Amino acid sequence: MRKFNYKFLGLAALAMAFTACEDGDLTSTGEVEAAMGELYVTAESNVSQIYRNVDEAMRTFDFSANPSVPITIDNATFDRDASDPNKYILDYGTGTATRGKVIEGAIEMTLTGTGYLDMGSTVDVSLVNFKEDDKPVSGSLFVENMGSDKFDLDVTAFTMEDNTSADDGGPKTFVLNTDKSMQWTAGSATPDDVSDDVYTISGTADATYDNSNYSFDVAIGTPMVIDNTCSYRLTEGVIDLDIATTVDPNPLTFNKATIDFIAGDGGNQDGCDKFFDIMLKNTETESEISTTRQFNGF
């Protein structure tokens, strides 16, 4: 068995800090790659939660109200920007407890077009002084209504910091870019009630970690299904990650990870649970190993 390089212990600890992990059946071999898979899932989860709030706000806000009436989403206040009629703000203030986190700052949304639910309309989303549990989060989202209950979502430089100590060169950053399409399959007929919404996600992504010492190419092999009737929201989907590094000597045993959100497994035949499998593979030797981990919701 390979000896686990001490420099990468912080990475596994980082993944445990971001998500509620299960040790699964891995020993030291594969822990680095599994931790990176968890980091990717956590970044996607954070993006999904931000988009969920944007989508709910833009669907349910009374844009015709004058003056507008604020609504509460994710325990934060959503309202029109007083100085820009096309800008809307979800304000967490100096700290709002929600979903087991404390979030501060704001999500700003600029609408272009006749309305969010009209084909061709777009929303530019930016994070302003945004933090989750005192860790800065930055990046931008661009949403476009493609018609027929389909939306495109581009995410640029979504950046999170890890918990690596300054003595070990931290904090280090994980940076995610995505190009996705979302197709509503239920709930679009009730735009003022998102609780019954179901949609699929397909597309690609890329990411880097630790000043690009690690890089990821990502493809959604089986569409992800987001179901708002499920408390964890993500009920199924398969994602393929190709993992590479510029670190020498190479600390990776595996260069591919398949993340399976396991539709209808165990006692939850509808797929509503918080578990996913990570299958790690070395495409040259064809060696494989797998483990089961948890996520905190999408």
Side-chain angles (χ1 to χ4, degrees), residues 43-118:
E44 288 282 18
S45 170
N46 287 354
V47 168
S48 179
Q49 289 166 357
I50 290 170
Y51 173 70
R52 173 185 62 180
N53 295 335
V54 170
D55 182 68
E56 179 178 353
M58 303 305 282
R59 286 177 184 271
T60 61
F61 188 71
D62 186 356
F63 290 97
S64 64
N66 189 19
S68 60
V69 178
I71 59 176
T72 298
I73 294 176
D74 202 26
N75 290 342
T77 299
F78 182 76
D79 201 357
R80 197 189 311 263
D81 187 332
S83 62
D84 185 344
N86 296 315
K87 181 180 287 187
Y88 305 85
I89 301 174
L90 184 63
D91 190 359
Y92 291 88
T94 57
T96 298
T98 180
R99 295 179 277 109
K101 305 176 182 180
V102 175
I103 300 179
E104 59 185 278
I107 301 174
E108 293 187 351
M109 307 158 217
T110 300
L111 175 66
T112 301
T114 54
Y116 176 70
L117 295 178
D118 296 329

Side-chain angles (χ1 to χ4, degrees), residues 255-296:
N255 62 354
K256 188 177 185 64
T258 297
I259 297 172
D260 187 350
F261 289 94
I262 326 171
D265 66 319
N268 297 292
Q269 296 303 311
D270 59 357
C272 185
D273 58 31
K274 57 184 177 181
F275 298 100
F276 61 95
D277 287 343
I278 301 179
M279 172 67 76
L280 303 173
K281 182 176 182 178
N282 185 311
T283 56
E284 294 183 0
T285 66
E286 297 189 352
S287 60
E288 296 181 351
I289 193 169
S290 63
T291 184
T292 300
R293 301 291 162 104
Q294 299 181 30
F295 63 94
N296 289 328

